[in-house]
Amino acid sequence: MTPGNNGASTPEDDDPFGYLYADGQANGAQPPSGGYGYPGSVNRVRAVGQRQYGQQAGQQAPTAPYGQVTQQQGAYGQPNAHYAAPETLPGGAPAGRQQAQGGGGRGRGPNTKGLLIGAIAVVAAVVIGISVAMLGDKGDKGDSGDKKAGGTASTATQSSQPSPSTTDTAAPAGELPKIDAKALLLGGGASTASDVKGAKADGGVYVTNFNNVGASVTWNVNGIPADGKYSLYVGYTVPGKDGTATLTVNGTVSEQPAKLKNWAGGPEGDYEKGWTKTYNYIQLNKGTNTIKISCEQGNQCDAYLDQLWLVKGWVGSGG
């Protein structure tokens, strides 16, 4: 046996890939023929440099020794003879690629049709929202117009009662203020009731529990047109007997008490038949004044008070 060459049983033959190298080929290494436990498809393995793209079946590109570069590469920018796009191969591009490029060249790009439909839907929703808002605004303006024109649109109203410490609302032109018992400021235990019939105040309400020292009603009257003489009228009832009360105007006690006489001539103990009125001459200032009727020591205050009102001048019983 020649030294350095041990035949086919040398380690070069043991290397299943020895045929891929130049020295292995020089020593006679051959590609396996379906051995080594690989499927038959492995037999398509070629030595480095054997496979050249762009060649038709059955053609074999020249090989170069391992480590050497072939001179068949084209210049930069020129087609490479050893490479050609799959489209140039016999039979054209693979079927999958041809199908991807079909349909007008769209390929598998974004679904522009779906995006367009979505954009149109968004724009339509915005337009509908604006239209509804404009219609609602027109409806509100229409309602306002109906109200201004005296239409049938209903308006919530809130009834209000005069504050106990203030007068009624301003009296009509040419008339002076008037107040009901329930709007008066009560003090000293005085209260309101409506059991006895005949009171002219709203709801038949009158002031009771007035027959106690310290009981009082106060009227802060507004709207006095000018300084001068006025007549104060008091509506009341007594149980068939005369009574009296103290009158105070703007903090000054009147020399004349409020005379609560039985002008109606009602029988004793009968408040229902004793409703009548009395008056006192007073001086008032322009604007706001305070009038107080109270039960003080020495008064006989067994009476129910109904209303208070004013008349311009000292008119006597004409009020």
Side-chain angles (χ1 to χ4, degrees), residues 11 16-17 37 47 53 63 69 90 116 120 123 132 145 152 188 196 213 221 227-229 234 246 261 271 302 306:
F17 301 101
Y53 293 98
T63 60
V69 180
L116 179 60
I120 293 175
V123 172
V132 172
T152 59
V196 177
V213 174
V221 57
D227 296 347
K229 297 178 180 180
V234 180
T246 299
K261 291 185 174 292
Y271 287 94
D302 191 3
D306 179 22

Side-chain angles (χ1 to χ4, degrees), residues 9 14 16 26 37 46 53 82 124-125 131 158 212 294 297 302 313-314:
S9 61
D14 293 337
R46 294 178 174 82
Y53 293 98
H82 300 288
S131 301
Q158 180 178 2
N212 297 302
S294 59
Q297 290 289 348
D302 191 3
W314 290 352

Side-chain angles (χ1 to χ4, degrees), residues 136 218 254:
T218 301
S254 175

Side-chain angles (χ1 to χ4, degrees), residues 199-228:
K200 295 182 179 180
D202 182 30
V205 178
Y206 53 85
V207 176
T208 187
N209 294 327
F210 190 67
N211 192 21
N212 297 302
V213 174
S216 65
V217 296
T218 301
W219 182 17
N220 293 320
V221 57
N222 299 318
I224 302 303
D227 296 347

Side-chain angles (χ1 to χ4, degrees), residues 109-239:
N111 189 354
T112 56
K113 183 176 180 180
L115 294 176
L116 179 60
I117 294 175
I120 293 175
V122 172
V123 172
V126 172
V127 171
I128 292 173
I130 294 174
S131 301
V132 172
M134 293 178 65
L135 290 175
D137 185 59
K138 290 180 179 180
D140 293 340
K141 292 181 179 178
D143 292 342
S144 299
D146 292 341
K147 293 177 183 179
K148 292 180 180 179
T152 59
S154 61
T155 303
T157 58
Q158 180 178 2
S159 61
S160 60
Q161 297 181 355
S163 171
S165 61
T166 61
T167 183
D168 291 331
T169 55
E175 296 184 15
L176 293 175
K178 184 176 184 178
I179 190 170
D180 287 341
K182 63 182 179 181
L184 292 168
L185 178 63
L186 306 181
S191 61
T192 58
S194 58
D195 299 333
V196 177
K197 297 180 181 180
K200 295 182 179 180
D202 182 30
V205 178
Y206 53 85
V207 176
T208 187
N209 294 327
F210 190 67
N211 192 21
N212 297 302
V213 174
S216 65
V217 296
T218 301
W219 182 17
N220 293 320
V221 57
N222 299 318
I224 302 303
D227 296 347
K229 297 178 180 180
Y230 294 86
S231 297
L232 172 66
Y233 281 82
V234 180
Y236 68 97
T237 185
V238 289

